[in-house]
Amino acid sequence: MSLDIRACDAAQLPMDLLLEADPHLPHVQAYLATGHCYHAQQNGVTVGAYVLQARSLGTLELMNIAVAPNCQALGIGTQLLQHALHSARQLGATRLEVATGSFGHQLTFYQRAGLRVYAVEPDYFLQHYPEPLFEQGLQHRDRLRLAIDFG
Ligand SMILES: CC(C)(COP(=O)(O)OP(=O)(O)OC[C@H]1O[C@@H](n2cnc3c(N)ncnc32)[C@H](O)[C@@H]1OP(=O)(O)O)[C@@H](O)C(=O)NCCC(=O)NCCS
């Protein structure tokens, strides 16, 4: 089934999808207000989304990337991430950054696309999220920052 990925308005992104990647609603609302939003649709149904936001001059951050749970592990996320790298360049960025937990398949997902860890933020999830975040039975505590510089 063909996937149509394109820029859209923030209001077109389903909030439940964005919360899959970032469960803290105030965070999501904050970057939706200023971010560049994109959605992926199959037969008019939104199955994925990502949001880019300016971090500093020449640097964009991938604030959110998510695929609907029933459509994960089918290659859609990889297509979205490649699209995000392309969009970042189109928007004039020379660097794309992303922050993620310190374990899980997301880490492999980003590193396969060429992003590399450049910083650790110890206890980030304990200090910035009101509820504990668990994945694979393990609590997220530290956050990693990854980046790719466009040559
Ligand atoms: C991370 C995410 C965007 C990847 O999208 P996707 O469409 O599932 O990714 P792909 O199908 O392109 O697969 C990428 C790899 O991740 C693996 N993967 C995807 N979902 C997985 C899961 N739930 N558990 C384990 N591995 C998973 C895939 O199997 C694939 O690895 P492989 O090539 O060795 O099989 C998606 O899993 C998602 O939306 N997760 C919830 C939100 C989230 O965590 N966002 C990132 C926040 S940092």
Side-chain angles (χ1 to χ4, degrees):
M1 220 180 294
S2 77
L3 191 68
D4 181 27
I5 306 176
R6 61 178 68 207
C8 67
D9 293 331
Q12 290 177 271
L13 298 184
M15 187 54 77
D16 57 344
L17 183 56
L18 300 173
L19 291 172
E20 289 284 330
D22 183 352
H24 193 38
L25 184 63
H27 288 176
V28 178
Q29 287 171 330
Y31 54 72
L32 275 186
T34 54
H36 302 272
C37 300
Y38 300 80
H39 60 184
Q41 295 190 315
Q42 272 177 340
N43 294 334
V45 176
T46 300
V47 295
Y50 71 88
V51 181
L52 299 174
Q53 188 185 44
R55 181 167 167 84
S56 59
L57 191 64
T59 299
L60 283 169
E61 180 164 349
L62 179 61
M63 303 303 296
N64 193 307
I65 182 166
V67 172
N70 60 332
C71 298
Q72 290 177 11
L74 298 173
I76 294 174
T78 299
Q79 287 186 64
L80 274 177
L81 186 53
Q82 290 304 321
H83 197 278
L85 292 169
H86 180 73
S87 299
R89 287 172 182 261
Q90 292 289 310
L91 290 166
T94 54
R95 179 176 168 93
L96 181 70
E97 298 185 1
V98 67
T100 190
S102 57
F103 61 89
H105 69 276
Q106 295 89 344
L107 207 47
T108 314
F109 170 71
Y110 292 127
Q111 294 194 63
R112 272 190 188 159
L115 287 105
R116 295 186 54 188
V117 176
Y118 72 90
V120 184
E121 297 170 316
D123 291 335
Y124 183 93
F125 292 106
L126 303 182
Q127 292 166 358
H128 294 86
Y129 284 75
E131 303 290 335
L133 290 182
F134 279 89
E135 203 171 2
Q136 297 163 335
L138 188 61
Q139 186 174 3
H140 277 291
R141 295 169 183 276
D142 311 317
R143 194 170 81 159
L144 300 183
R145 295 200 60 87
L146 292 88
I148 183 168
D149 291 301
F150 306 129

